[in-house]
Amino acid sequence: MYKSLYSSHDRIYNFEELSFPVEGVEFELDDLGDNLGDRHNRRPYIAFNMVSSVDGKATTYEGKLTGLGSRPDRLLMKRLRSQFDAVLAGGTTLRQDAFIPTVPPELSAERQKNFAQPQPFGIVISNSGNLPSEHRFWDAGKDLRVVLVGEETTVESWLEEKAQIFRFPTKDHQIDLKQVLAVLFEKLGIKRLLVEGGPALNYSLISQGLADELFLTISPHIVGGVDNMTVIGGSGYGLGGNDLPSLQLRSLYHHESELFLRYQFQR
């Protein structure tokens, strides 16, 4: 189970290891809405990829993760992206980070062995619809960019030119994530979905049992600060007071003082 790499950081998680299920995961919808006709549906297989400091912080200053990501971690991020149908992030992540889920040319050959589409969909979910118009995320074109918003969310006209827009029911001002996942699976053919935060989106998915794997890089730094975010958000005591989600360690790599952990969510 435990694997170590001391110098060959370019082979942390080789492509053979990243063979994710393609049949989806069966689950039951709470509400059918207008997009779906069957309460019993399938959703994509969902993995999270996050980096944190040793003290659990996912940001270092003003919502950014400057100083946490290393070259091996960035390489791992690109490799993971190359093995998914789509990469999902929240609106805050897009506003604060250079979220550009494009597979670089050096990974294209490996991707094409398992995927008909040379690039993954880049997907952003936003309750507010407040997204930056000036961002390299949009450069990939409308065919590869998807925005998920609530039924009543107002979006600016430029966004309709940059991305495919899907609307979903909301409850307590939050988009129905189960309907989102069912539509991504059924309408867009997304069987494998990589989630890259932020903490609020991570918490929403995990708290509803919509999680299969977690890739977590532990950066050898201490950050502190109550204003810095953690990998998982949530109000109050979060998932405390309930049955806490259990994870099984699938593998552990290290390069110098950085750890690369892969966990499976247990059901």
Side-chain angles (χ1 to χ4, degrees):
M1 177 187 297
Y2 300 93
K3 302 177 181 180
S4 297
L5 293 182
Y6 298 95
S7 59
S8 184
H9 60 261
D10 61 322
R11 297 310 297 166
I12 294 175
Y13 300 124
N14 60 46
F15 291 109
E16 290 72 25
E17 288 180 87
L18 301 178
S19 179
F20 300 103
V22 296
E23 66 274 10
V25 179
E26 188 172 330
F27 75 132
E28 188 168 310
L29 293 171
D30 300 323
D31 184 4
L32 290 178
D34 298 326
N35 297 309
L36 302 159
D38 189 350
R39 188 173 298 278
H40 297 282
N41 275 270
R42 304 192 78 82
R43 63 166 176 79
Y45 187 85
I46 300 172
F48 299 80
N49 182 36
M50 300 297 294
V51 59
S52 82
S53 62
V54 172
D55 59 324
K57 298 298 184 179
T59 62
T60 56
Y61 185 72
E62 294 185 342
K64 302 183 185 301
L65 50 75
T66 305
L68 291 183
S70 66
R71 182 175 181 274
D73 180 61
R74 289 190 291 272
L75 183 60
L76 167 61
M77 176 182 67
K78 295 174 183 177
R79 180 171 291 132
L80 284 174
R81 288 173 172 175
S82 75
Q83 297 302 298
F84 283 85
D85 298 295
V87 185
L88 169 67
T92 300
T93 298
L94 185 69
R95 288 190 292 271
Q96 296 181 335
D97 292 341
F99 175 61
I100 310 167
T102 301
V103 175
E106 62 268 23
L107 297 178
S108 295
E110 285 289 348
R111 177 177 175 83
Q112 290 172 10
K113 292 179 182 179
N114 300 309
F115 296 84
Q117 186 168 285
Q119 294 289 341
F121 286 105
I123 307 177
V124 173
I125 184 168
S126 173
N127 290 303
S128 68
N130 177 25
L131 300 174
S133 59
E134 299 300 320
H135 197 295
R136 289 173 56 202
F137 174 79
W138 310 113
D139 293 350
K142 187 172 183 176
D143 288 345
L144 287 174
R145 294 296 178 255
V146 177
V147 172
L148 314 172
V149 295
E151 288 177 325
E152 305 300 324
T153 301
T154 300
V155 298
E156 297 184 39
S157 58
W158 67 264
L159 189 56
E160 297 178 352
E161 300 175 359
K162 298 285 188 178
Q164 305 171 58
I165 299 175
F166 290 81
R167 295 183 176 274
F168 296 90
T170 59
K171 183 178 181 181
D172 298 327
H173 307 292
Q174 299 298 311
I175 295 170
D176 187 331
L177 291 175
K178 289 187 176 180
Q179 286 206 35
V180 165
L181 295 175
V183 167
L184 294 182
F185 187 91
E186 183 175 318
K187 306 294 186 182
L188 293 180
I190 295 172
K191 307 297 190 294
R192 293 153 288 193
L193 178 65
L194 181 64
V195 179
E196 295 188 354
L201 176 59
N202 292 346
Y203 180 83
S204 295
L205 288 165
I206 292 171
S207 64
Q208 296 180 57
L210 305 172
D212 300 297
E213 290 195 38
L214 169 65
F215 290 85
L216 178 62
T217 298
I218 305 296
S219 176
H221 296 90
I222 297 290
V223 180
V226 295
D227 291 332
N228 280 314
M229 294 183 287
T230 57
V231 170
I232 309 294
S235 61
Y237 293 104
L239 296 173
N242 300 305
D243 291 333
L244 298 177
S246 296
L247 296 88
Q248 180 179 6
L249 184 65
R250 290 190 57 176
S251 65
L252 185 156
Y253 287 96
H254 76 81
H255 177 257
E256 298 180 348
S257 296
E258 195 167 35
L259 299 179
F260 302 87
L261 300 96
R262 181 182 185 180
Y263 286 102
Q264 188 86 40
F265 283 85
Q266 303 296 293
R267 289 182 173 80

